[in-house]
Amino acid sequence: QKEVEQNSGPLSVPEGAIASLNCTYSDRGSQSFFWYRQYSGKSPELIMFIYSNGDKEDGRFTAQLNKASQYVSLLIRDSQPSDSATYLCAVNRNQGGKLIFGQGTELSVKP
Amino acid sequence: DAGVTQSPTHLIKTRGQQVTLRCSPKSGHDTVSWYQQALGQGPQFIFQYYEEEERQRGNFPDRFSGHQFPNYSSELNVNALLLGDSALYLCASSFWQDRSETQYFGPGTRLLVL
């Protein structure tokens, strides 16, 4: 079992729709959870982080964390073609240090 | 405010050679982490430096070594290069605030080993 699992996709959504990206993790002791966006040929860019159970909203993005189910998700509202990228979920066992990444989910937003 | 910078952007080496990659952290950041990202995969943690010491290390062989300087910049050295070392090498800088650390990535160095 991988430590952090994501559906590799591609996930295709029409412009204006809600994109839902999911991530599960195996270490129940994980403390910090991050979503990064990576455009093709570029480096990862931080979108959001979440530490507590529940929802955290930032503009069009909402991160959701359920520690009991070991599940973290990212919702992108009003998806735009510019949101087309690979989304990486990362988990930290402590509050700092090593980030463990999933393999990423490729999102394609069609005009 | 300059972000994380890395040099060089691209590098081509042959098997058995040695390589040094460089990273300057974002202003105000004192911690540097290095990751290796193979094509189609998520980044894999190599190690993290704080106060010029290796604080944490991932599952990489001793061929991978690093250093952090007093100005917080860092180097990653890889000896005896293998074909499998071809990857995007990412540097991330961070600092602790409240109870958390958030890592911000540089543009990366793309290494090709022939």
Side-chain angles (χ1 to χ4, degrees):
Chain A
Q1 181 187 10
K2 291 183 180 179
E3 292 181 271
V4 179
E5 294 206 54
Q6 297 180 254
N7 188 326
S8 61
L11 173 65
S12 184
V13 301
E15 184 175 356
I18 296 175
S20 178
L21 303 159
N22 304 316
C23 172
T24 58
Y25 59 95
S26 61
D27 187 343
R28 188 169 290 278
S30 298
Q31 300 274 344
S32 311
F33 306 86
F34 302 84
W35 283 99
Y36 288 85
R37 176 176 63 197
Q38 187 171 27
Y39 292 112
S40 181
K42 301 296 185 182
S43 65
E45 171 193 9
L46 179 69
I47 299 175
M48 292 189 70
F49 55 85
I50 187 167
Y51 306 127
S52 303
N53 276 326
D55 294 359
K56 179 181 179 182
E57 187 174 319
D58 184 1
R60 295 187 297 113
F61 299 96
T62 298
Q64 299 175 316
L65 175 61
N66 184 325
K67 288 187 178 180
S69 299
Q70 295 175 240
Y71 176 93
V72 58
S73 65
L74 180 70
L75 300 178
I76 306 175
R77 289 181 299 282
D78 188 25
S79 295
Q80 301 297 310
S82 59
D83 295 326
S84 297
T86 295
Y87 288 79
L88 295 162
C89 170
V91 173
N92 190 315
R93 195 187 196 288
N94 303 305
Q95 290 162 345
K98 174 182 178 181
L99 287 177
I100 303 169
F101 283 85
Q103 70 176 70
T105 297
E106 182 185 351
L107 173 66
S108 177
V109 181
K110 304 294 187 184
Chain B
D1 178 24
V4 182
T5 61
Q6 291 186 245
S7 63
T9 55
H10 295 81
L11 205 49
I12 299 176
K13 291 286 188 178
T14 57
R15 280 179 299 173
Q17 285 190 311
Q18 178 264 345
V19 68
T20 298
L21 310 181
R22 295 176 176 84
C23 171
S24 290
K26 190 176 170 65
S27 177
H29 289 190
D30 58 6
T31 303
V32 173
S33 304
W34 287 93
Y35 292 81
Q36 179 195 68
Q37 187 176 24
L39 204 59
Q41 301 297 317
Q44 297 289 315
F45 177 78
I46 303 175
F47 40 55
Q48 184 180 77
Y49 276 84
Y50 172 68
E51 293 187 341
E52 303 178 51
E53 298 284 335
E54 183 183 289
R55 178 159 70 176
Q56 194 176 10
R57 188 178 182 91
N59 189 25
F60 278 80
D62 291 345
R63 298 187 297 110
F64 290 78
S65 63
H67 189 78
Q68 186 180 33
F69 299 94
N71 67 353
Y72 308 123
S73 67
S74 177
E75 288 182 349
L76 164 65
N77 300 292
V78 187
N79 295 322
L81 285 167
L82 304 174
L83 296 180
D85 294 331
S86 296
L88 178 66
Y89 288 85
L90 295 161
C91 167
S93 77
S94 56
F95 75 106
W96 281 82
Q97 186 175 39
D98 297 328
R99 65 180 187 96
S100 64
E101 176 199 4
T102 303
Q103 297 184 20
Y104 297 86
F105 286 90
T109 295
R110 196 165 296 278
L111 172 65
L112 177 61
V113 182
L114 301 177

